[in-house]
Amino acid sequence: MKKTAKGSLVSILVPVYNESPNILEFYFRMTRVMSQTGYRYEMVFINDGSRDDTLDKLYSLRDKDQRVKIIDLSRNFGKEIAMTAGLDHCRGDAVIPIDADLQDPPEVIPELIAKWEEGYEVVYATRTRRDGETLLKKATAHLFYRFVKRLTPIPIPKDTGDFRLMSRKVVDALKQLREQHRFMKGLFSWVGFRQTSVTYRREPRYAGRTKFNYWKLWNFAVEGITSFSFMPLQVATYLGFGISLFAIAFALYLFTSTLLYGNPVPGYPSLMVTVLFLGGVQLTTLGVIGEYIGRIYNESKRRPLYFVQGKAGLEDGKEISRLEGVN
Ligand code: UDP
Ligand code: MG
């Protein structure tokens, strides 16, 4: 069993991209919840290149409350990278990534912390319901989680977002994974450690609109699958194999029928169908291979994951000292 001292620091990681109308409400609800837990805490906001006044609001919050910390990325890098920046900078003994739009209710956090106190290293929050989202989004999300589960050997918990608690051990492990194509939910699971879950109801957005359209979600899904599975590449093999078997059978049939009945009609339709079908299969499999090669190409450039153009409260050495006896 792990000892979690009451003096432990809890880091709340909040990636924000144009979340201006949500910031204050988020801050108040989070403050209320966190002050009840009795833990020391920091709220690390990662500004992911917002174009509204999100950053100003964050700085004015920080003027009043030093527990608000800010990482300002040099542009919009996307949520996965924003969370990575947060993981890299936060100091907490427990770290909780959460959305700024209050879809993940902060009120669940005490439950996460309770499980952490029991000795779990990862406590993920699984949604039992999603309110305020379109049927199509719910249906595609449902399908996606089940599809990924079948394709990938690592157990990515279904209906679970990024909202979870991770201990320092897990965060330190995650920090070593520096790939460009980051499907965080997968990486969270990949590192392993003792895990458990709590359930919650996903609420509608407090204000503003989702940043993810279906094209982004589709790409996100492709990322999730290609990051953790070779199955699409293997599909090409099996498809090719299946088609070859079929082709042999078909050839035998043509051969015997020509011998028995002659060949009165030149086989234009069957020829066209075969050519088009094979062409389609070949292009698709080439595309699949291309997806993987593109990713290899990107990884091979070894670019930094993000650039930071401003930081507040996270400068090295200025941090409140961590209490001992933790972990
Ligand atoms: N987000 C971000 N960068 C982006 C897109 C989103 O940091 O490029 C943040 C956003 O501010 C929010 C969280 O990620 O805190 C979840 O975004 P959103 O609510 O739009 O996603 P959804 O809940 O619809 O999946
Ligand atoms: Mg949301």
Side-chain angles (χ1 to χ4, degrees), residues 46-290:
I46 307 100
N47 179 37
D48 188 16
S50 298
R51 281 185 294 267
D52 60 3
D53 62 345
T54 297
L55 189 64
D56 300 334
K57 285 204 174 159
L58 291 178
Y59 274 108
S60 58
L61 269 185
R62 175 159 171 82
D63 287 341
K64 296 191 206 82
D65 185 347
Q66 293 292 303
R67 288 172 297 202
V68 171
K69 303 186 178 172
I70 303 166
I71 305 169
D72 185 23
L73 300 183
S74 58
R75 64 171 171 87
N76 178 259
F77 283 92
K79 185 185 175 188
E80 313 293 298
I81 300 270
M83 271 193 298
T84 308
L87 289 172
D88 289 345
H89 287 84
C90 71
R91 308 287 170 87
D93 302 292
V95 178
I96 305 175
I98 184 170
D99 288 359
D101 57 5
L102 294 165
Q103 277 194 291
D104 311 323
E107 289 72 22
V108 179
I109 289 179
E111 290 175 48
L112 301 181
I113 290 182
K115 291 279 182 193
W116 174 51
E117 287 168 338
E118 282 175 29
Y120 290 98
E121 306 282 347
V122 179
V123 190
Y124 54 87
T126 297
R127 3 186 215 241
T128 50
R129 281 188 57 165
R130 306 177 129 204
D131 291 334
E133 287 187 292
T134 60
L135 259 182
L136 187 61
K137 167 116 185 217
K138 282 192 242 187
T140 47
H142 182 88
L143 275 178
F144 170 69
Y145 284 111
R146 273 140 198 91
F147 190 58
V148 163
K149 195 179 164 72
R150 297 201 152 223
L151 278 190
T152 64
I154 54 155
I156 298 176
K158 61 180 180 348
D159 300 328
T160 301
D162 301 311
F163 184 32
R164 64 187 65 212
L165 179 148
M166 291 172 286
S167 72
R168 176 47 48 186
K169 251 189 229 169
V170 178
V171 173
D172 285 342
L174 272 173
K175 278 164 71 175
Q176 294 177 34
L177 310 180
R178 305 310 292 177
E179 59 238 65
Q180 297 279 339
H181 291 272
R182 312 178 69 76
F183 181 65
M184 292 306 282
K185 284 192 260 284
L187 299 182
F188 289 155
S189 305
W190 186 86
V191 294
F193 295 99
R194 214 167 151 226
Q195 314 212 345
T196 187
S197 67
V198 302
T199 53
Y200 75 107
R201 266 176 76 153
R202 187 146 162 103
E203 291 177 12
R205 242 178 183 277
Y206 177 72
R209 294 181 52 191
T210 174
K211 311 293 179 303
F212 291 90
N213 54 32
Y214 282 102
W215 178 242
K216 269 198 183 176
L217 284 174
W218 164 254
N219 283 316
F220 183 62
V222 172
E223 203 75 87
I225 291 161
T226 50
S227 300
F228 286 95
S229 171
F230 294 130
M231 189 72 98
L233 287 174
Q234 290 160 339
V235 164
T237 318
Y238 295 117
L239 208 61
F241 191 64
I243 291 174
S244 309
L245 281 183
F246 174 76
I248 292 171
F250 192 53
L252 281 177
Y253 161 77
L254 284 181
F255 186 68
T256 41
S257 74
T258 313
L259 276 187
L260 292 178
Y261 311 110
N263 185 13
V265 195
Y268 178 73
S270 60
L271 203 65
M272 263 329 258
V273 168
T274 318
V275 167
L276 286 179
F277 178 66
L278 276 182
V281 169
Q282 282 169 347
L283 279 182
T284 314
T285 47
L286 260 185
V288 170
I289 296 171

